[in-house]
Short mmCIF file of all heavy atoms in Angstrom, two decimals:
data_model
loop_
_atom_site.label_atom_id
_atom_site.label_comp_id
_atom_site.label_asym_id
_atom_site.label_seq_id
_atom_site.Cartn_x
_atom_site.Cartn_y
_atom_site.Cartn_z
N MET A 1293 0.82 -1.19 0.00
CA MET A 1293 0.00 0.00 0.00
C MET A 1293 0.87 1.26 0.00
O MET A 1293 0.55 2.23 -0.67
CB MET A 1293 -0.92 -0.04 1.23
CG MET A 1293 -1.94 1.04 1.25
SD MET A 1293 -3.15 0.73 -0.01
CE MET A 1293 -4.42 1.79 0.50
N LYS A 1294 1.99 1.21 0.74
CA LYS A 1294 2.85 2.37 0.81
C LYS A 1294 3.46 2.70 -0.55
O LYS A 1294 3.55 3.86 -0.93
CB LYS A 1294 3.94 2.15 1.85
CG LYS A 1294 4.81 3.36 2.08
CD LYS A 1294 5.82 3.15 3.18
CE LYS A 1294 6.62 4.40 3.39
NZ LYS A 1294 7.58 4.25 4.48
N SER A 1295 3.85 1.67 -1.29
CA SER A 1295 4.45 1.91 -2.60
C SER A 1295 3.42 2.49 -3.58
O SER A 1295 3.75 3.32 -4.43
CB SER A 1295 5.05 0.64 -3.17
OG SER A 1295 4.03 -0.32 -3.38
N LEU A 1296 2.16 2.09 -3.43
CA LEU A 1296 1.11 2.65 -4.29
C LEU A 1296 0.88 4.12 -3.97
O LEU A 1296 0.78 4.95 -4.87
CB LEU A 1296 -0.19 1.87 -4.10
CG LEU A 1296 -1.42 2.46 -4.81
CD1 LEU A 1296 -1.24 2.35 -6.32
CD2 LEU A 1296 -2.67 1.76 -4.37
N LEU A 1297 0.79 4.46 -2.70
CA LEU A 1297 0.52 5.85 -2.32
C LEU A 1297 1.70 6.78 -2.55
O LEU A 1297 1.53 7.98 -2.63
CB LEU A 1297 0.10 5.91 -0.85
CG LEU A 1297 -1.29 5.35 -0.56
CD1 LEU A 1297 -1.56 5.40 0.93
CD2 LEU A 1297 -2.36 6.11 -1.32
N SER A 1298 2.92 6.22 -2.65
CA SER A 1298 4.07 7.08 -2.88
C SER A 1298 4.44 7.18 -4.36
O SER A 1298 5.42 7.83 -4.70
CB SER A 1298 5.26 6.59 -2.07
OG SER A 1298 5.63 5.30 -2.48
N SER A 1299 3.67 6.55 -5.24
CA SER A 1299 3.96 6.66 -6.66
C SER A 1299 3.53 8.03 -7.16
O SER A 1299 2.60 8.65 -6.64
CB SER A 1299 3.24 5.56 -7.45
OG SER A 1299 1.84 5.77 -7.42
N LYS A 1300 4.21 8.52 -8.18
CA LYS A 1300 3.93 9.87 -8.68
C LYS A 1300 2.49 10.04 -9.19
O LYS A 1300 1.87 11.05 -8.88
CB LYS A 1300 4.92 10.25 -9.77
CG LYS A 1300 6.19 10.80 -9.23
CD LYS A 1300 7.01 11.42 -10.34
CE LYS A 1300 8.23 12.06 -9.76
NZ LYS A 1300 9.00 12.75 -10.78
N PRO A 1301 1.94 9.09 -9.96
CA PRO A 1301 0.56 9.30 -10.40
C PRO A 1301 -0.44 9.39 -9.25
O PRO A 1301 -1.35 10.22 -9.27
CB PRO A 1301 0.28 8.08 -11.28
CG PRO A 1301 1.60 7.61 -11.73
CD PRO A 1301 2.54 7.92 -10.61
N ALA A 1302 -0.24 8.58 -8.22
CA ALA A 1302 -1.15 8.63 -7.07
C ALA A 1302 -1.00 9.95 -6.31
O ALA A 1302 -1.99 10.54 -5.88
CB ALA A 1302 -0.88 7.46 -6.14
N LEU A 1303 0.24 10.41 -6.16
CA LEU A 1303 0.45 11.69 -5.48
C LEU A 1303 -0.14 12.85 -6.26
O LEU A 1303 -0.73 13.77 -5.68
CB LEU A 1303 1.95 11.91 -5.23
CG LEU A 1303 2.58 11.06 -4.14
CD1 LEU A 1303 4.09 11.27 -4.11
CD2 LEU A 1303 1.97 11.36 -2.79
N TRP A 1304 0.00 12.82 -7.58
CA TRP A 1304 -0.60 13.89 -8.39
C TRP A 1304 -2.11 13.87 -8.29
O TRP A 1304 -2.76 14.92 -8.21
CB TRP A 1304 -0.15 13.79 -9.85
CG TRP A 1304 1.15 14.47 -10.10
CD1 TRP A 1304 2.34 13.89 -10.39
CD2 TRP A 1304 1.40 15.88 -10.06
NE1 TRP A 1304 3.31 14.84 -10.53
CE2 TRP A 1304 2.76 16.07 -10.34
CE3 TRP A 1304 0.62 17.00 -9.81
CZ2 TRP A 1304 3.35 17.34 -10.37
CZ3 TRP A 1304 1.20 18.25 -9.85
CH2 TRP A 1304 2.55 18.42 -10.13
N PHE A 1305 -2.70 12.68 -8.31
CA PHE A 1305 -4.14 12.58 -8.17
C PHE A 1305 -4.59 13.11 -6.82
O PHE A 1305 -5.54 13.90 -6.73
CB PHE A 1305 -4.61 11.13 -8.34
CG PHE A 1305 -6.08 10.95 -8.05
CD1 PHE A 1305 -7.02 11.37 -8.97
CD2 PHE A 1305 -6.50 10.40 -6.86
CE1 PHE A 1305 -8.37 11.24 -8.70
CE2 PHE A 1305 -7.85 10.26 -6.58
CZ PHE A 1305 -8.79 10.68 -7.51
N LEU A 1306 -3.93 12.67 -5.74
CA LEU A 1306 -4.30 13.15 -4.40
C LEU A 1306 -4.15 14.65 -4.30
O LEU A 1306 -5.00 15.34 -3.71
CB LEU A 1306 -3.43 12.46 -3.34
CG LEU A 1306 -3.74 11.00 -3.06
CD1 LEU A 1306 -2.65 10.41 -2.18
CD2 LEU A 1306 -5.10 10.88 -2.40
N PHE A 1307 -3.08 15.19 -4.86
CA PHE A 1307 -2.84 16.63 -4.80
C PHE A 1307 -3.93 17.41 -5.53
O PHE A 1307 -4.54 18.32 -4.96
CB PHE A 1307 -1.46 16.95 -5.38
CG PHE A 1307 -1.14 18.41 -5.42
CD1 PHE A 1307 -0.89 19.10 -4.25
CD2 PHE A 1307 -1.08 19.09 -6.63
CE1 PHE A 1307 -0.60 20.46 -4.28
CE2 PHE A 1307 -0.78 20.44 -6.66
CZ PHE A 1307 -0.54 21.12 -5.49
N THR A 1308 -4.20 17.05 -6.77
CA THR A 1308 -5.15 17.84 -7.56
C THR A 1308 -6.59 17.64 -7.11
O THR A 1308 -7.35 18.61 -6.98
CB THR A 1308 -5.03 17.51 -9.06
OG1 THR A 1308 -5.20 16.12 -9.26
CG2 THR A 1308 -3.69 17.95 -9.60
N PHE A 1309 -6.99 16.39 -6.86
CA PHE A 1309 -8.37 16.13 -6.47
C PHE A 1309 -8.70 16.77 -5.13
O PHE A 1309 -9.72 17.45 -4.98
CB PHE A 1309 -8.63 14.62 -6.42
CG PHE A 1309 -10.02 14.27 -5.97
CD1 PHE A 1309 -11.08 14.40 -6.84
CD2 PHE A 1309 -10.27 13.83 -4.69
CE1 PHE A 1309 -12.38 14.09 -6.44
CE2 PHE A 1309 -11.54 13.52 -4.27
CZ PHE A 1309 -12.61 13.65 -5.15
N ASN A 1310 -7.85 16.57 -4.15
CA ASN A 1310 -8.12 17.13 -2.83
C ASN A 1310 -8.02 18.65 -2.82
O ASN A 1310 -8.75 19.31 -2.08
CB ASN A 1310 -7.17 16.51 -1.79
CG ASN A 1310 -7.55 15.08 -1.50
OD1 ASN A 1310 -8.68 14.79 -1.18
ND2 ASN A 1310 -6.60 14.18 -1.64
N LEU A 1311 -7.15 19.22 -3.63
CA LEU A 1311 -7.08 20.68 -3.73
C LEU A 1311 -8.36 21.23 -4.34
O LEU A 1311 -8.90 22.23 -3.86
CB LEU A 1311 -5.87 21.09 -4.57
CG LEU A 1311 -5.60 22.58 -4.65
CD1 LEU A 1311 -5.29 23.16 -3.28
CD2 LEU A 1311 -4.44 22.84 -5.60
N ALA A 1312 -8.89 20.55 -5.36
CA ALA A 1312 -10.15 20.99 -5.97
C ALA A 1312 -11.31 20.87 -4.99
O ALA A 1312 -12.14 21.79 -4.88
CB ALA A 1312 -10.44 20.17 -7.22
N VAL A 1313 -11.37 19.78 -4.25
CA VAL A 1313 -12.44 19.61 -3.26
C VAL A 1313 -12.31 20.65 -2.16
O VAL A 1313 -13.32 21.22 -1.71
CB VAL A 1313 -12.44 18.18 -2.69
CG1 VAL A 1313 -13.39 18.06 -1.52
CG2 VAL A 1313 -12.82 17.18 -3.77
N ALA A 1314 -11.09 20.92 -1.73
CA ALA A 1314 -10.88 21.93 -0.69
C ALA A 1314 -11.32 23.31 -1.15
O ALA A 1314 -11.83 24.10 -0.35
CB ALA A 1314 -9.41 21.95 -0.27
N ALA A 1315 -11.15 23.60 -2.43
CA ALA A 1315 -11.55 24.91 -2.95
C ALA A 1315 -13.06 25.03 -3.09
O ALA A 1315 -13.63 26.10 -2.91
CB ALA A 1315 -10.87 25.15 -4.30
N VAL A 1316 -13.75 23.92 -3.39
CA VAL A 1316 -15.19 23.96 -3.66
C VAL A 1316 -16.03 23.69 -2.41
O VAL A 1316 -17.16 24.18 -2.31
CB VAL A 1316 -15.52 22.94 -4.78
CG1 VAL A 1316 -17.01 22.79 -4.97
CG2 VAL A 1316 -14.85 23.35 -6.08
N ALA A 1317 -15.50 22.95 -1.46
CA ALA A 1317 -16.28 22.51 -0.30
C ALA A 1317 -16.96 23.63 0.48
O ALA A 1317 -18.13 23.49 0.84
CB ALA A 1317 -15.41 21.68 0.64
N PRO A 1318 -16.32 24.75 0.76
CA PRO A 1318 -17.01 25.79 1.52
C PRO A 1318 -18.23 26.37 0.80
O PRO A 1318 -19.16 26.86 1.44
CB PRO A 1318 -15.95 26.87 1.71
CG PRO A 1318 -14.65 26.20 1.51
CD PRO A 1318 -14.91 25.09 0.56
N PHE A 1319 -18.22 26.30 -0.52
CA PHE A 1319 -19.35 26.82 -1.29
C PHE A 1319 -20.45 25.78 -1.48
O PHE A 1319 -21.61 26.13 -1.64
CB PHE A 1319 -18.87 27.32 -2.65
CG PHE A 1319 -17.81 28.37 -2.54
CD1 PHE A 1319 -16.50 28.07 -2.85
CD2 PHE A 1319 -18.11 29.65 -2.09
CE1 PHE A 1319 -15.50 29.03 -2.73
CE2 PHE A 1319 -17.13 30.60 -1.97
CZ PHE A 1319 -15.82 30.30 -2.30
N ALA A 1320 -20.06 24.50 -1.48
CA ALA A 1320 -21.02 23.43 -1.71
C ALA A 1320 -21.71 22.96 -0.44
O ALA A 1320 -22.85 22.52 -0.48
CB ALA A 1320 -20.33 22.25 -2.39
N VAL A 1321 -21.02 23.04 0.69
CA VAL A 1321 -21.55 22.57 1.97
C VAL A 1321 -21.57 23.76 2.92
O VAL A 1321 -20.57 24.45 3.08
CB VAL A 1321 -20.68 21.43 2.55
CG1 VAL A 1321 -21.25 20.93 3.85
CG2 VAL A 1321 -20.53 20.30 1.55
N ASP A 1322 -22.69 23.98 3.56
CA ASP A 1322 -22.83 25.14 4.44
C ASP A 1322 -22.23 24.88 5.82
O ASP A 1322 -22.20 23.75 6.30
CB ASP A 1322 -24.31 25.50 4.62
CG ASP A 1322 -24.89 26.10 3.35
OD1 ASP A 1322 -24.12 26.69 2.58
OD2 ASP A 1322 -26.10 25.97 3.15
N GLY A 1323 -21.79 25.95 6.42
CA GLY A 1323 -21.41 25.92 7.83
C GLY A 1323 -20.08 25.28 8.13
O GLY A 1323 -19.17 25.22 7.30
N ALA A 1324 -20.01 24.79 9.36
CA ALA A 1324 -18.76 24.23 9.87
C ALA A 1324 -18.35 22.98 9.11
O ALA A 1324 -17.15 22.71 8.96
CB ALA A 1324 -18.90 23.92 11.35
N GLN A 1325 -19.32 22.21 8.62
CA GLN A 1325 -18.98 20.99 7.89
C GLN A 1325 -18.20 21.32 6.61
O GLN A 1325 -17.24 20.64 6.28
CB GLN A 1325 -20.23 20.20 7.57
CG GLN A 1325 -19.94 18.86 6.93
CD GLN A 1325 -21.20 18.04 6.66
OE1 GLN A 1325 -22.31 18.51 6.91
NE2 GLN A 1325 -21.02 16.83 6.18
N GLY A 1326 -18.60 22.35 5.91
CA GLY A 1326 -17.89 22.75 4.70
C GLY A 1326 -16.50 23.25 4.99
O GLY A 1326 -15.55 22.95 4.26
N ILE A 1327 -16.36 24.00 6.07
CA ILE A 1327 -15.04 24.52 6.45
C ILE A 1327 -14.12 23.39 6.87
O ILE A 1327 -12.96 23.34 6.45
CB ILE A 1327 -15.18 25.58 7.56
CG1 ILE A 1327 -15.92 26.80 7.02
CG2 ILE A 1327 -13.82 25.96 8.13
CD1 ILE A 1327 -16.33 27.79 8.07
N MET A 1328 -14.63 22.47 7.68
CA MET A 1328 -13.79 21.36 8.13
C MET A 1328 -13.43 20.42 6.97
O MET A 1328 -12.33 19.87 6.93
CB MET A 1328 -14.48 20.58 9.25
CG MET A 1328 -14.59 21.37 10.54
SD MET A 1328 -13.02 22.07 11.09
CE MET A 1328 -12.11 20.59 11.46
N THR A 1329 -14.34 20.25 6.03
CA THR A 1329 -14.03 19.44 4.84
C THR A 1329 -12.91 20.10 4.05
O THR A 1329 -11.98 19.43 3.60
CB THR A 1329 -15.29 19.28 3.96
OG1 THR A 1329 -16.30 18.64 4.72
CG2 THR A 1329 -14.99 18.47 2.71
N ALA A 1330 -13.00 21.41 3.88
CA ALA A 1330 -11.96 22.14 3.15
C ALA A 1330 -10.62 22.03 3.86
O ALA A 1330 -9.58 21.82 3.21
CB ALA A 1330 -12.36 23.60 2.99
N VAL A 1331 -10.63 22.16 5.17
CA VAL A 1331 -9.37 22.06 5.92
C VAL A 1331 -8.78 20.65 5.80
O VAL A 1331 -7.58 20.49 5.54
CB VAL A 1331 -9.60 22.44 7.40
CG1 VAL A 1331 -8.39 22.08 8.26
CG2 VAL A 1331 -9.92 23.92 7.52
N GLY A 1332 -9.60 19.63 5.98
CA GLY A 1332 -9.11 18.26 5.89
C GLY A 1332 -8.57 17.92 4.52
O GLY A 1332 -7.49 17.33 4.39
N MET A 1333 -9.29 18.29 3.49
CA MET A 1333 -8.83 18.02 2.13
C MET A 1333 -7.59 18.84 1.80
O MET A 1333 -6.70 18.39 1.08
CB MET A 1333 -9.94 18.31 1.11
CG MET A 1333 -11.09 17.36 1.21
SD MET A 1333 -10.58 15.71 0.75
CE MET A 1333 -12.13 14.90 0.67
N GLY A 1334 -7.52 20.05 2.33
CA GLY A 1334 -6.34 20.88 2.13
C GLY A 1334 -5.10 20.26 2.76
O GLY A 1334 -4.01 20.30 2.18
N VAL A 1335 -5.26 19.69 3.94
CA VAL A 1335 -4.12 19.03 4.61
C VAL A 1335 -3.64 17.83 3.80
O VAL A 1335 -2.43 17.64 3.62
CB VAL A 1335 -4.52 18.62 6.05
CG1 VAL A 1335 -3.49 17.69 6.66
CG2 VAL A 1335 -4.71 19.85 6.91
N VAL A 1336 -4.57 17.04 3.29
CA VAL A 1336 -4.19 15.89 2.46
C VAL A 1336 -3.49 16.36 1.19
O VAL A 1336 -2.48 15.79 0.77
CB VAL A 1336 -5.42 15.02 2.12
CG1 VAL A 1336 -5.07 13.93 1.12
CG2 VAL A 1336 -6.01 14.42 3.39
N SER A 1337 -4.00 17.43 0.59
CA SER A 1337 -3.39 17.97 -0.62
C SER A 1337 -1.98 18.48 -0.34
O SER A 1337 -1.06 18.24 -1.13
CB SER A 1337 -4.26 19.09 -1.19
OG SER A 1337 -3.70 19.59 -2.37
N LEU A 1338 -1.80 19.16 0.77
CA LEU A 1338 -0.46 19.64 1.13
C LEU A 1338 0.49 18.47 1.37
O LEU A 1338 1.66 18.53 0.97
CB LEU A 1338 -0.53 20.52 2.37
CG LEU A 1338 -1.07 21.93 2.17
CD1 LEU A 1338 -1.23 22.63 3.51
CD2 LEU A 1338 -0.17 22.72 1.25
N GLY A 1339 0.01 17.43 2.02
CA GLY A 1339 0.84 16.26 2.24
C GLY A 1339 1.29 15.61 0.94
O GLY A 1339 2.45 15.23 0.79
N ALA A 1340 0.38 15.51 -0.01
CA ALA A 1340 0.73 14.95 -1.31
C ALA A 1340 1.71 15.87 -2.04
O ALA A 1340 2.65 15.41 -2.70
CB ALA A 1340 -0.51 14.72 -2.15
N GLY A 1341 1.50 17.18 -1.93
CA GLY A 1341 2.41 18.13 -2.56
C GLY A 1341 3.81 18.04 -1.99
O GLY A 1341 4.80 18.07 -2.73
N PHE A 1342 3.91 17.92 -0.67
CA PHE A 1342 5.22 17.75 -0.05
C PHE A 1342 5.86 16.43 -0.48
O PHE A 1342 7.08 16.35 -0.65
CB PHE A 1342 5.13 17.83 1.47
CG PHE A 1342 4.95 19.23 1.99
CD1 PHE A 1342 3.97 19.51 2.92
CD2 PHE A 1342 5.75 20.27 1.54
CE1 PHE A 1342 3.78 20.79 3.40
CE2 PHE A 1342 5.58 21.56 2.02
CZ PHE A 1342 4.60 21.83 2.95
N GLY A 1343 5.05 15.40 -0.65
CA GLY A 1343 5.57 14.13 -1.15
C GLY A 1343 6.13 14.25 -2.55
O GLY A 1343 7.16 13.66 -2.88
N LEU A 1344 5.46 15.03 -3.39
CA LEU A 1344 5.97 15.26 -4.75
C LEU A 1344 7.27 16.04 -4.71
O LEU A 1344 8.21 15.73 -5.46
CB LEU A 1344 4.93 16.02 -5.58
CG LEU A 1344 3.72 15.21 -6.02
CD1 LEU A 1344 2.64 16.13 -6.55
CD2 LEU A 1344 4.13 14.19 -7.07
N LEU A 1345 7.35 17.06 -3.86
CA LEU A 1345 8.59 17.84 -3.76
C LEU A 1345 9.73 16.99 -3.20
O LEU A 1345 10.87 17.12 -3.64
CB LEU A 1345 8.37 19.06 -2.87
CG LEU A 1345 7.50 20.16 -3.46
CD1 LEU A 1345 7.28 21.25 -2.42
CD2 LEU A 1345 8.13 20.73 -4.71
N LYS A 1346 9.42 16.14 -2.25
CA LYS A 1346 10.44 15.28 -1.65
C LYS A 1346 11.01 14.32 -2.68
O LYS A 1346 12.22 14.13 -2.76
CB LYS A 1346 9.82 14.49 -0.49
CG LYS A 1346 10.76 13.63 0.26
CD LYS A 1346 10.04 12.96 1.41
CE LYS A 1346 10.83 11.82 1.97
NZ LYS A 1346 10.09 11.09 3.00
N SER A 1347 10.14 13.72 -3.50
CA SER A 1347 10.63 12.80 -4.53
C SER A 1347 11.41 13.54 -5.60
O SER A 1347 12.38 13.03 -6.15
CB SER A 1347 9.48 12.02 -5.14
OG SER A 1347 8.63 12.86 -5.87
N ARG A 1348 11.03 14.79 -5.86
CA ARG A 1348 11.73 15.58 -6.87
C ARG A 1348 13.15 15.92 -6.41
O ARG A 1348 14.10 15.83 -7.18
CB ARG A 1348 10.95 16.86 -7.15
CG ARG A 1348 11.53 17.70 -8.22
CD ARG A 1348 10.64 18.88 -8.52
NE ARG A 1348 11.25 19.72 -9.53
CZ ARG A 1348 10.80 20.88 -9.88
NH1 ARG A 1348 9.72 21.37 -9.30
NH2 ARG A 1348 11.40 21.59 -10.79
N THR A 1349 13.30 16.32 -5.15
CA THR A 1349 14.63 16.64 -4.65
C THR A 1349 15.50 15.39 -4.54
O THR A 1349 16.70 15.46 -4.76
CB THR A 1349 14.55 17.35 -3.28
OG1 THR A 1349 13.82 16.54 -2.36
CG2 THR A 1349 13.89 18.70 -3.40
N ALA A 1350 14.89 14.24 -4.24
CA ALA A 1350 15.64 12.99 -4.18
C ALA A 1350 16.15 12.62 -5.58
O ALA A 1350 17.28 12.14 -5.73
CB ALA A 1350 14.78 11.88 -3.62
N GLU A 1351 15.33 12.84 -6.60
CA GLU A 1351 15.75 12.56 -7.97
C GLU A 1351 16.90 13.47 -8.38
O GLU A 1351 17.85 13.03 -9.01
CB GLU A 1351 14.58 12.72 -8.93
CG GLU A 1351 13.56 11.62 -8.85
CD GLU A 1351 12.36 11.89 -9.75
OE1 GLU A 1351 12.35 12.92 -10.47
OE2 GLU A 1351 11.43 11.07 -9.73
N ARG A 1352 16.79 14.75 -8.03
CA ARG A 1352 17.86 15.69 -8.37
C ARG A 1352 19.16 15.33 -7.68
O ARG A 1352 20.24 15.44 -8.26
CB ARG A 1352 17.46 17.11 -8.01
CG ARG A 1352 16.48 17.72 -8.96
CD ARG A 1352 16.27 19.16 -8.67
NE ARG A 1352 15.34 19.74 -9.63
CZ ARG A 1352 15.01 21.00 -9.65
NH1 ARG A 1352 15.50 21.83 -8.75
NH2 ARG A 1352 14.18 21.46 -10.55
N ALA A 1353 19.09 14.89 -6.44
CA ALA A 1353 20.29 14.49 -5.72
C ALA A 1353 20.91 13.26 -6.36
O ALA A 1353 22.14 13.16 -6.46
CB ALA A 1353 19.95 14.21 -4.25
N ALA A 1354 20.09 12.32 -6.81
CA ALA A 1354 20.61 11.12 -7.46
C ALA A 1354 21.28 11.46 -8.78
O ALA A 1354 22.33 10.91 -9.12
CB ALA A 1354 19.49 10.12 -7.68
N VAL A 1355 20.70 12.39 -9.52
CA VAL A 1355 21.30 12.80 -10.80
C VAL A 1355 22.61 13.53 -10.55
O VAL A 1355 23.61 13.29 -11.24
CB VAL A 1355 20.31 13.70 -11.60
CG1 VAL A 1355 21.00 14.37 -12.76
CG2 VAL A 1355 19.13 12.88 -12.07
N ALA A 1356 22.65 14.39 -9.55
CA ALA A 1356 23.88 15.11 -9.24
C ALA A 1356 24.97 14.16 -8.77
O ALA A 1356 26.15 14.34 -9.12
CB ALA A 1356 23.60 16.15 -8.16
N ALA A 1357 24.61 13.14 -8.03
CA ALA A 1357 25.60 12.17 -7.55
C ALA A 1357 26.14 11.33 -8.70
O ALA A 1357 27.31 10.95 -8.70
CB ALA A 1357 24.99 11.28 -6.49
N SER A 1358 25.31 11.03 -9.68
CA SER A 1358 25.76 10.20 -10.80
C SER A 1358 26.66 10.98 -11.75
O SER A 1358 27.45 10.39 -12.47
CB SER A 1358 24.56 9.64 -11.56
OG SER A 1358 23.85 10.67 -12.21
N ARG A 1359 26.52 12.32 -11.75
CA ARG A 1359 27.35 13.14 -12.64
C ARG A 1359 28.76 13.34 -12.09
O ARG A 1359 29.65 13.71 -12.81
CB ARG A 1359 26.69 14.49 -12.86
CG ARG A 1359 25.48 14.40 -13.74
CD ARG A 1359 24.95 15.75 -14.07
NE ARG A 1359 23.75 15.63 -14.89
CZ ARG A 1359 23.00 16.63 -15.21
NH1 ARG A 1359 23.27 17.85 -14.78
NH2 ARG A 1359 21.93 16.45 -15.96
N GLY A 1360 28.89 13.17 -10.82
CA GLY A 1360 30.25 13.25 -10.37
C GLY A 1360 30.48 14.05 -9.18
O GLY A 1360 31.32 14.37 -8.60
#
């Protein structure tokens, strides 16, 4: 399960889908439920975004190490 969730396509899906839901939720759901949905989805989206950045920096470090 961990390898599936850390793959780039899954991270991109989590990032974009949850960011879109976080942006729409306050308008689609009234009150505290909409706000909490937006916050929760935003946190998941940020986590996926950080995962994408982490894998990107790891790739750059590997390329720099292979060059010399």
Side-chain angles (χ1 to χ4, degrees):
M1293 188 70 164
K1294 185 176 182 178
S1295 63
L1296 172 68
L1297 289 177
S1298 63
S1299 68
K1300 276 192 176 184
L1303 287 174
W1304 274 111
F1305 173 76
L1306 287 170
F1307 177 70
T1308 56
F1309 178 77
N1310 287 307
L1311 185 63
V1313 171
V1316 172
F1319 303 107
V1321 181
D1322 289 333
Q1325 185 177 3
I1327 294 170
M1328 292 308 294
T1329 301
V1331 169
M1333 292 294 190
V1335 168
V1336 173
S1337 181
L1338 285 173
F1342 285 132
L1344 287 167
L1345 289 175
K1346 183 178 165 185
S1347 67
R1348 183 175 178 188
T1349 56
E1351 287 176 2
R1352 284 188 179 183
V1355 168
S1358 67
R1359 288 187 182 172

